[in-house]
Amino acid sequence: LELGYNEIRVLRKNTFMNLTKLSYLSLEYNKIYFIEPGTFDGLVSLEFLLLTKNLLIFLDPLILNGLSSLYVLGLGSNNIES
């Protein structure tokens, strides 16, 4: 699913809730600064999550819980410090 270049700012809980077969999610080149816990819940088949070129300064590791198939996590060109 390609959602890049859409000026998305916030990702809300359950946004992708019923997409259990989704394996690729690109949210690159948006203006995402906040990802609400539960946003990626249910994405058990997700292998690629691309969040490159956003405005993230923090990523709670708990947001990634349940992404057991995740192989690639792209976080480049954000402002994440730790």
Side-chain angles (χ1 to χ4, degrees), residues 2-42:
E2 177 62 58
L3 295 174
Y5 299 94
N6 282 296
E7 298 194 20
I8 297 168
R9 295 179 180 271
V10 174
L11 295 176
R12 299 281 181 207
K13 181 178 181 177
N14 298 324
T15 299
F16 306 103
M17 186 171 70
N18 296 317
L19 301 176
T20 57
K21 297 192 186 292
L22 186 69
S23 63
Y24 176 89
L25 178 58
S26 175
L27 293 157
E28 297 176 292
Y29 295 91
N30 280 291
K31 296 179 180 178
I32 299 168
Y33 64 88
F34 181 72
I35 301 175
E36 191 173 285
T39 296
F40 303 119
D41 286 1

Side-chain angles (χ1 to χ4, degrees), residues 48-62:
F48 297 88
L49 176 57
L50 306 176
L51 294 163
T52 307
K53 290 279 188 175
N54 279 287
L55 301 174
L56 293 169
I57 58 171
F58 175 77
L59 185 68
D60 185 340
L62 296 176

